[in-house]
Each structure stands twice: as C-alpha cells, then as structure tokens.
Amino acid sequence: MEILVMSVPVLNICEWQPSLKTNDTRTIQTVRFQETKRLVSCLDRMVLPSPPLLPDDMPTIKKFRLDYRGPDRLFNSRIYGWISSLVLRKFEELSLCLQRDFLLPPCLFTCETLTVLEIEMAGNLSSKSKKTGNLGFPPTVSFSRLKILRLTHIVFVDADLTTQLFSNCPVLEELMLNKCCMVEMKVSCVSVASLKRLFITSPARNSWNLKINLFLPNLQSLTYTGMPEDFVLTGHGFSSLVDADIDMPFESMNIYTKRGKERLRGLKNLAEGILNVKLLKISGDPIVYLYFEDVLAECTFQNLRQLEVSSKLSCGTTKGLFYLLFKVPNLESIIFSQGFTEFLLNATPYNEVPKCLLLQLKAVEFREIDGHGVELDVITFFLKNSLVLQTMTITFSSSLPQCWRDIVIRTLLMSPKGAANGVINFL
C-alpha cells in the first residue's frame, strides 16, 4: 500500500477531524496530535529525500496542496523542508492554507518549474494582529513559468518587493488578490504584459487597503468585488478587455467625506479603465454611484454589447442605471437578473429614451418577476421604446401563483409595442 501512495503525483492534505467520538476535549486533542504526527511522518518519508536517495530518485510529485487550519504546529515546522525538497524535485503546483505565519524557503521564489502558486492565510487580519498573514519576499524573485498566482488574506509588508513579485512573472496569465492589504500606505505596481484574467476582492472595513497601479495591456477578463479607493490605471488601461464583473456590496457612505470622495475617484478610474469592455456584469452600489459626481462624465462604452444587472433595482439604483444606458450606444442585449422593488417607478426618467433602445437593443431578459405594477411599467417601457427588439424573455419568480402569471401575461400581450415585431417568451 505504501508503494502505491508513494507513486501518486498529487498530494492533497486537507483539514480532518479525529474519528474518535467523545466529549472529552483532552482525549480529542491527544488523538488529534497522534494522528497529525503520523501524517507528518508519512509526508516526511514521501517528500524528504533520505540517504542513499537523491531528489531525482524520489517519486514524482507534481502538485502539493496543504489546507490545514487546526491548532497543531507540526505542519508549520515541516513546511520549509517539504517545499525546499519539492523545488529540487521540480514540482509544478503549490497550494498552501495555514492558520498563522509560516516561513517559505527563498528557493521557492526562484523555482523554474512552478506554474501554479496559491497562498492563503486563514488568520485574522485586523489591526490588532498585524503580524498575522504577513508574507515577505526575498531580494530575488523570479517565476519564469508561473501562470496562475492566487493570494488570499495576505498582508504585504514592502511595496517595492511586492511590485518586484508581479514584475518578475513574465508569463503570468491569471492573478487573484483576495482581501489582501498593504501595511505601508504606498501604491504597488502590477505591470504584467501577459496577464489575461484579474480577480480583486478588497478587504471589508479594514484599516489597511491595497492601492494598486495597473498596467495590463492584454487583460481580457476583470472581476472586481468591493469598494475601490484610489484605484489607478496606467497608460491605456485595459485596452483588450472582453468581459468585466463589478460587484460593490451595499455600504452606507457619505460621498462628500474624504473617504467617500476617494471611493468615487477610484470608481471613476475603474470605469474609465473598462471602456473597451464588450460584456459587463454589474451589481451592488456602483449603479447608485454612477449618477453622482460625474463618475461617467467622460465615459462612453462604445464596444459594450451585453449588460447584466444583477442588483435588485430600487429607487436609488434606477437613476444610475438609466444614466449608464445613455453611455452604451451600441448595446444589443440587457439582462435584469434580480427583478425590481416597488420604488422603481418614481425614479425612472421616462421622458428620455437612451439611443441604444431606439437603434441597437435586440434582446431583453427580466428574471425573478413578481408581477408588481412597477415591474409591468418597466417592461412596457422597453417594449414600447426598443424599436429593433427581437426577443424579450420574462422569467417569473417561483413563488408567484399561476393565476397571477396569467394576468401578467395578458397585460403585457395587450401593452403597446414599438415598431419591431419581437417575440415575448414567458418562463
């Protein structure tokens, strides 16, 4: 059995619980320690070379994943040696998730065979525990083959070394920065010509923030979650961007405070950076903020063909939405995936019709429709003013009774239509 295990090229060590069923905490801790010790010993035999074996003579291990968030420190004391051995054995993928800080060997940061690197700190990143999650880099960093880099809950301690990390990944295609922070209030530069996919989730209500200066000329896909502050783009921004997913969770904010102005400035920079996007999914507060302080004053999304609005539209979001529609003259498809609230009608500027409805919009989809009168008014507005509309799809909420659905269908079929003879699909 041990020979079979030794020949497996993938080691995936996840968190486990003792199989012993008892309420005795001390017994559970004892069993857990014994099980952990046996597992560590097994990994030592599999990963660490021992005389007369050399690293090249050891079984091939291409992928190493360790996800352990328990209190035991046995793993932490072995990680340095395991990774050093795997580097010598030319492994390709590393995924680590531990509870507290751990020391990574410098040889990892010059590994010529590594293609995927994932590091997550599972500890608390509050200001009361600044050391938790720190990730330092050696003076020399070079990932010549790294294509995917995913960092979660990392506190960067040096802006210059952080910049060096990204600039020395010449073939990097995917980068994820999930709730990462910078101790020093400096701007880190991310300049990677090869990058195609970028995922950023900003930390919520954190005393630190990750301010980044982006130069990604070949970026194709962007996912941004959170509130941008001083979001900066260099040069021509994302000139090759195809799709973007922007999600900003609800947060009460005074736009006239210093922090509020910083966030609006960051949102404006972000909007100007995605001007070339073709597919845009937007949700949360950005729809509200688009209407304030001329966020979109200098923006026209000439290439945008499909827009998906995944927020539940309300009074606050409607003005921003319609303002956005005036900035997308060539829009061909729009999806409302979360329905509407009862306050929508009072905020809708029906006296004006966006150009895209009159000349370009061919498909509209409404989801989670509850049959309220304001929803019918909005649907009727699109039916009447979308002059080249080909299809409209309406999906009812699962809680809506069949009798109400029949009423909605009859009402919409009798509503005034535009010049086009589009098909209405009810689901």
Short mmCIF file of all heavy atoms in Angstrom, two decimals, residues 64-66 93-97 102 114 116-120 146 148-152 174 176:
data_model
loop_
_atom_site.label_atom_id
_atom_site.label_comp_id
_atom_site.label_asym_id
_atom_site.label_seq_id
_atom_site.Cartn_x
_atom_site.Cartn_y
_atom_site.Cartn_z
N PHE A 64 1.31 19.83 -4.86
CA PHE A 64 1.29 19.70 -3.40
C PHE A 64 0.29 20.72 -2.85
O PHE A 64 0.44 21.92 -3.05
CB PHE A 64 2.66 19.94 -2.80
CG PHE A 64 2.70 19.79 -1.30
CD1 PHE A 64 2.53 18.54 -0.73
CD2 PHE A 64 2.90 20.88 -0.48
CE1 PHE A 64 2.57 18.38 0.66
CE2 PHE A 64 2.94 20.73 0.90
CZ PHE A 64 2.77 19.48 1.47
N ARG A 65 -0.73 20.20 -2.16
CA ARG A 65 -1.76 21.07 -1.57
C ARG A 65 -1.88 20.75 -0.09
O ARG A 65 -2.08 19.59 0.29
CB ARG A 65 -3.12 20.86 -2.26
CG ARG A 65 -4.25 21.66 -1.61
CD ARG A 65 -5.57 21.43 -2.33
NE ARG A 65 -6.66 22.09 -1.65
CZ ARG A 65 -6.98 23.37 -1.78
NH1 ARG A 65 -6.27 24.13 -2.59
NH2 ARG A 65 -7.99 23.90 -1.12
N LEU A 66 -1.76 21.78 0.73
CA LEU A 66 -1.88 21.62 2.18
C LEU A 66 -2.87 22.66 2.69
O LEU A 66 -2.60 23.87 2.66
CB LEU A 66 -0.53 21.79 2.87
CG LEU A 66 -0.54 21.73 4.40
CD1 LEU A 66 -1.12 20.41 4.87
CD2 LEU A 66 0.86 21.94 4.95
N GLU A 93 2.94 22.69 -9.01
CA GLU A 93 1.82 23.41 -8.40
C GLU A 93 1.92 23.33 -6.88
O GLU A 93 2.16 22.26 -6.32
CB GLU A 93 0.48 22.83 -8.87
CG GLU A 93 0.27 22.93 -10.37
CD GLU A 93 -1.12 22.46 -10.79
OE1 GLU A 93 -2.02 22.38 -9.92
OE2 GLU A 93 -1.31 22.18 -11.99
N LEU A 94 1.70 24.48 -6.23
CA LEU A 94 1.73 24.56 -4.77
C LEU A 94 0.53 25.36 -4.28
O LEU A 94 0.27 26.46 -4.76
CB LEU A 94 3.02 25.23 -4.30
CG LEU A 94 3.11 25.51 -2.79
CD1 LEU A 94 3.09 24.20 -2.01
CD2 LEU A 94 4.36 26.33 -2.46
N SER A 95 -0.21 24.77 -3.31
CA SER A 95 -1.35 25.45 -2.71
C SER A 95 -1.25 25.29 -1.20
O SER A 95 -1.24 24.18 -0.68
CB SER A 95 -2.67 24.84 -3.21
OG SER A 95 -3.78 25.46 -2.57
N LEU A 96 -1.16 26.42 -0.48
CA LEU A 96 -1.00 26.40 0.97
C LEU A 96 -2.07 27.25 1.63
O LEU A 96 -2.35 28.37 1.19
CB LEU A 96 0.38 26.95 1.37
CG LEU A 96 1.61 26.13 0.97
CD1 LEU A 96 2.87 26.90 1.33
CD2 LEU A 96 1.60 24.78 1.64
N CYS A 97 -2.64 26.72 2.71
CA CYS A 97 -3.57 27.48 3.54
C CYS A 97 -3.33 27.07 4.99
O CYS A 97 -3.63 25.94 5.37
CB CYS A 97 -5.02 27.23 3.14
SG CYS A 97 -6.20 28.11 4.21
N PHE A 102 3.99 31.52 8.35
CA PHE A 102 4.97 30.45 8.18
C PHE A 102 6.06 30.95 7.26
O PHE A 102 5.85 31.84 6.45
CB PHE A 102 4.32 29.17 7.63
CG PHE A 102 3.49 29.39 6.40
CD1 PHE A 102 4.05 29.30 5.14
CD2 PHE A 102 2.15 29.68 6.50
CE1 PHE A 102 3.28 29.49 4.00
CE2 PHE A 102 1.37 29.89 5.37
CZ PHE A 102 1.93 29.79 4.13
N LEU A 114 7.64 25.95 -11.36
CA LEU A 114 6.34 26.24 -10.75
C LEU A 114 5.43 26.96 -11.74
O LEU A 114 5.80 27.97 -12.34
CB LEU A 114 6.53 27.10 -9.50
CG LEU A 114 5.37 27.12 -8.51
CD1 LEU A 114 5.14 25.74 -7.91
CD2 LEU A 114 5.62 28.14 -7.41
N VAL A 116 1.70 27.05 -10.91
CA VAL A 116 0.54 27.50 -10.12
C VAL A 116 0.99 27.70 -8.67
O VAL A 116 1.59 26.81 -8.08
CB VAL A 116 -0.62 26.48 -10.16
CG1 VAL A 116 -1.78 26.96 -9.28
CG2 VAL A 116 -1.08 26.26 -11.60
N LEU A 117 0.68 28.87 -8.11
CA LEU A 117 1.02 29.16 -6.71
C LEU A 117 -0.19 29.79 -6.03
O LEU A 117 -0.69 30.84 -6.46
CB LEU A 117 2.22 30.11 -6.62
CG LEU A 117 2.63 30.56 -5.21
CD1 LEU A 117 2.99 29.36 -4.34
CD2 LEU A 117 3.78 31.55 -5.27
N GLU A 118 -0.68 29.12 -4.97
CA GLU A 118 -1.81 29.62 -4.19
C GLU A 118 -1.39 29.68 -2.72
O GLU A 118 -0.96 28.68 -2.15
CB GLU A 118 -3.03 28.70 -4.34
CG GLU A 118 -3.52 28.56 -5.76
CD GLU A 118 -4.69 27.59 -5.86
OE1 GLU A 118 -4.89 26.80 -4.91
OE2 GLU A 118 -5.41 27.62 -6.87
N ILE A 119 -1.55 30.84 -2.11
CA ILE A 119 -1.20 31.01 -0.69
C ILE A 119 -2.35 31.73 0.01
O ILE A 119 -2.77 32.81 -0.44
CB ILE A 119 0.10 31.79 -0.51
CG1 ILE A 119 1.26 31.09 -1.21
CG2 ILE A 119 0.41 31.96 0.97
CD1 ILE A 119 2.57 31.84 -1.12
N GLU A 120 -2.84 31.13 1.07
CA GLU A 120 -3.91 31.74 1.86
C GLU A 120 -3.54 31.72 3.33
O GLU A 120 -3.11 30.70 3.87
CB GLU A 120 -5.23 30.99 1.66
CG GLU A 120 -6.37 31.55 2.53
CD GLU A 120 -7.68 30.81 2.33
OE1 GLU A 120 -7.74 29.95 1.44
OE2 GLU A 120 -8.63 31.10 3.08
N LEU A 146 5.54 30.66 -14.06
CA LEU A 146 4.31 30.79 -13.28
C LEU A 146 3.20 31.41 -14.12
O LEU A 146 3.35 32.50 -14.67
CB LEU A 146 4.55 31.66 -12.04
CG LEU A 146 3.43 31.66 -11.00
CD1 LEU A 146 3.29 30.28 -10.35
CD2 LEU A 146 3.66 32.73 -9.94
N ILE A 148 -0.39 31.02 -12.93
CA ILE A 148 -1.52 31.33 -12.06
C ILE A 148 -0.99 31.67 -10.67
O ILE A 148 -0.26 30.88 -10.06
CB ILE A 148 -2.50 30.15 -11.97
CG1 ILE A 148 -3.10 29.84 -13.34
CG2 ILE A 148 -3.61 30.44 -10.97
CD1 ILE A 148 -4.00 28.62 -13.35
N LEU A 149 -1.36 32.85 -10.16
CA LEU A 149 -0.96 33.29 -8.82
C LEU A 149 -2.20 33.75 -8.08
O LEU A 149 -2.89 34.68 -8.51
CB LEU A 149 0.06 34.43 -8.91
CG LEU A 149 0.49 35.05 -7.57
CD1 LEU A 149 1.15 34.01 -6.68
CD2 LEU A 149 1.42 36.24 -7.81
N ARG A 150 -2.52 33.07 -6.96
CA ARG A 150 -3.70 33.40 -6.16
C ARG A 150 -3.27 33.65 -4.71
O ARG A 150 -2.72 32.75 -4.07
CB ARG A 150 -4.73 32.27 -6.22
CG ARG A 150 -5.23 31.98 -7.64
CD ARG A 150 -6.25 30.86 -7.65
NE ARG A 150 -6.72 30.59 -9.01
CZ ARG A 150 -6.81 29.38 -9.54
NH1 ARG A 150 -6.47 28.32 -8.82
NH2 ARG A 150 -7.25 29.21 -10.77
N LEU A 151 -3.54 34.84 -4.22
CA LEU A 151 -3.16 35.23 -2.87
C LEU A 151 -4.40 35.66 -2.10
O LEU A 151 -5.18 36.50 -2.58
CB LEU A 151 -2.14 36.37 -2.90
CG LEU A 151 -0.85 36.09 -3.69
CD1 LEU A 151 0.02 37.33 -3.74
CD2 LEU A 151 -0.08 34.92 -3.09
N THR A 152 -4.59 35.11 -0.89
CA THR A 152 -5.77 35.39 -0.08
C THR A 152 -5.36 35.76 1.34
O THR A 152 -4.56 35.07 1.96
CB THR A 152 -6.69 34.15 -0.04
OG1 THR A 152 -7.10 33.82 -1.37
CG2 THR A 152 -7.94 34.44 0.80
N GLU A 174 -3.06 34.55 -14.94
CA GLU A 174 -4.17 34.77 -14.01
C GLU A 174 -3.64 35.23 -12.65
O GLU A 174 -2.74 34.60 -12.09
CB GLU A 174 -4.99 33.48 -13.83
CG GLU A 174 -6.14 33.62 -12.84
CD GLU A 174 -6.94 32.35 -12.68
OE1 GLU A 174 -7.24 31.71 -13.72
OE2 GLU A 174 -7.26 31.97 -11.54
N MET A 176 -5.06 36.56 -8.76
CA MET A 176 -6.15 36.80 -7.82
C MET A 176 -5.59 37.41 -6.55
O MET A 176 -4.68 36.87 -5.93
CB MET A 176 -6.89 35.50 -7.48
CG MET A 176 -8.08 35.72 -6.54
SD MET A 176 -8.92 34.17 -6.05
CE MET A 176 -7.75 33.57 -4.82
#
